[in-house]
Each structure stands twice: as structure tokens, then as C-alpha cells.
Amino acid sequence: MNATNSLARAAQLHASGNLLSARREAEAALATDPANVNALRFVGVLYCQSGDAAGGAEFLRKALAEDPADDGTRVNLLQALLDSGQLDEVE
């Protein structure tokens, strides 16, 4: 399965509330295309929504490195850093 198909499946699973399976599908997209900014962002958000803000922040940092102009990712990263107590990294 290619990254686009994995992300589409992940979005469907996410919409149905199945966060763990959605994360697995989004991670499969990353296995196919490790620099895919959409997959990096989605995996980061899914980690955060599953209660792992620190893990989510790692993926969101990578997504922001790929697309520094993405304000949505920047906001998600800020929230992940706040939620995980990484206040020293908040700019």
C-alpha cells in the first residue's frame, strides 16, 4: 500500500474513533515515505490524542522541519509541548 492510501485509511479509522488503528496506518505511510509531512503531522496528532504528547511532539517537530511555514503544525507542536511539560522548548 502506498502512503496516500495508508493516510486515507488512517483518516477513515480516525473518523470512526479508532485511534490506535489510525496511528498504525499513518505509521505505515511513514514507513513508505518517511518525509511525508502529512503523515508526520497526522501521526503526531494521533499520539497526542492518545495521551502521548511527548511522542506526538517528536513527529510534529519533524513535520515542521519539512514544512516550516505550516502554522497548523506549529500550533499543534506548541500544544504538545505544553501538554507534555516541555515548557522550556515553547517559543
Side-chain angles (χ1 to χ4, degrees), residues 11 13 16 19 32 44 52 56 75 80 89:
L13 290 163
S16 72
L19 298 181
T32 303
D52 184 359
V75 169
E89 294 189 41

Short mmCIF file of all heavy atoms in Angstrom, two decimals, residues 11 13 16 19 32 44 52 56 75 80 89:
data_model
loop_
_atom_site.label_atom_id
_atom_site.label_comp_id
_atom_site.label_asym_id
_atom_site.label_seq_id
_atom_site.Cartn_x
_atom_site.Cartn_y
_atom_site.Cartn_z
N ALA A 11 -7.29 8.16 8.00
CA ALA A 11 -8.30 9.20 8.20
C ALA A 11 -9.67 8.57 8.46
O ALA A 11 -10.42 9.05 9.32
CB ALA A 11 -8.36 10.14 7.01
N LEU A 13 -10.24 5.57 9.75
CA LEU A 13 -10.20 4.96 11.08
C LEU A 13 -10.28 6.03 12.17
O LEU A 13 -10.96 5.84 13.18
CB LEU A 13 -8.92 4.13 11.23
CG LEU A 13 -8.88 2.86 10.39
CD1 LEU A 13 -7.45 2.34 10.27
CD2 LEU A 13 -9.81 1.81 10.98
N SER A 16 -13.75 7.25 12.65
CA SER A 16 -14.60 6.28 13.34
C SER A 16 -14.21 6.13 14.81
O SER A 16 -14.82 5.36 15.54
CB SER A 16 -14.57 4.93 12.63
OG SER A 16 -13.32 4.29 12.84
N LEU A 19 -8.36 5.26 17.19
CA LEU A 19 -7.09 5.99 17.17
C LEU A 19 -5.89 5.08 16.99
O LEU A 19 -4.96 5.41 16.26
CB LEU A 19 -6.93 6.82 18.43
CG LEU A 19 -7.97 7.91 18.67
CD1 LEU A 19 -7.65 8.66 19.96
CD2 LEU A 19 -8.05 8.86 17.51
N THR A 32 6.65 4.00 4.26
CA THR A 32 6.76 4.10 2.81
C THR A 32 7.43 5.41 2.40
O THR A 32 8.23 5.44 1.46
CB THR A 32 5.35 4.04 2.16
OG1 THR A 32 4.73 2.83 2.57
CG2 THR A 32 5.42 4.09 0.67
N GLY A 44 1.76 12.60 14.62
CA GLY A 44 1.96 13.44 15.80
C GLY A 44 0.66 13.76 16.51
O GLY A 44 0.55 13.65 17.74
N ASP A 52 -0.17 10.67 24.50
CA ASP A 52 1.30 10.71 24.48
C ASP A 52 1.76 11.99 23.79
O ASP A 52 2.18 11.97 22.63
CB ASP A 52 1.84 9.46 23.77
CG ASP A 52 3.37 9.39 23.79
OD1 ASP A 52 4.02 10.31 24.34
OD2 ASP A 52 3.91 8.40 23.24
N GLY A 56 4.03 12.64 20.44
CA GLY A 56 3.45 13.45 19.37
C GLY A 56 4.33 14.61 18.98
O GLY A 56 4.49 14.94 17.80
N VAL A 75 1.12 25.21 15.79
CA VAL A 75 0.16 25.29 16.90
C VAL A 75 0.03 23.93 17.59
O VAL A 75 0.02 23.84 18.82
CB VAL A 75 -1.21 25.80 16.41
CG1 VAL A 75 -2.28 25.63 17.47
CG2 VAL A 75 -1.11 27.25 15.97
N ALA A 80 1.38 20.31 22.14
CA ALA A 80 2.01 19.06 22.57
C ALA A 80 3.11 19.35 23.59
O ALA A 80 3.24 18.64 24.60
CB ALA A 80 2.58 18.30 21.37
N GLU A 89 10.92 24.43 25.89
CA GLU A 89 11.02 24.41 24.43
C GLU A 89 9.98 25.28 23.74
O GLU A 89 10.03 25.45 22.53
CB GLU A 89 10.90 22.97 23.92
CG GLU A 89 12.05 22.11 24.36
CD GLU A 89 12.02 20.76 23.69
OE1 GLU A 89 11.73 20.71 22.47
OE2 GLU A 89 12.29 19.77 24.38
#
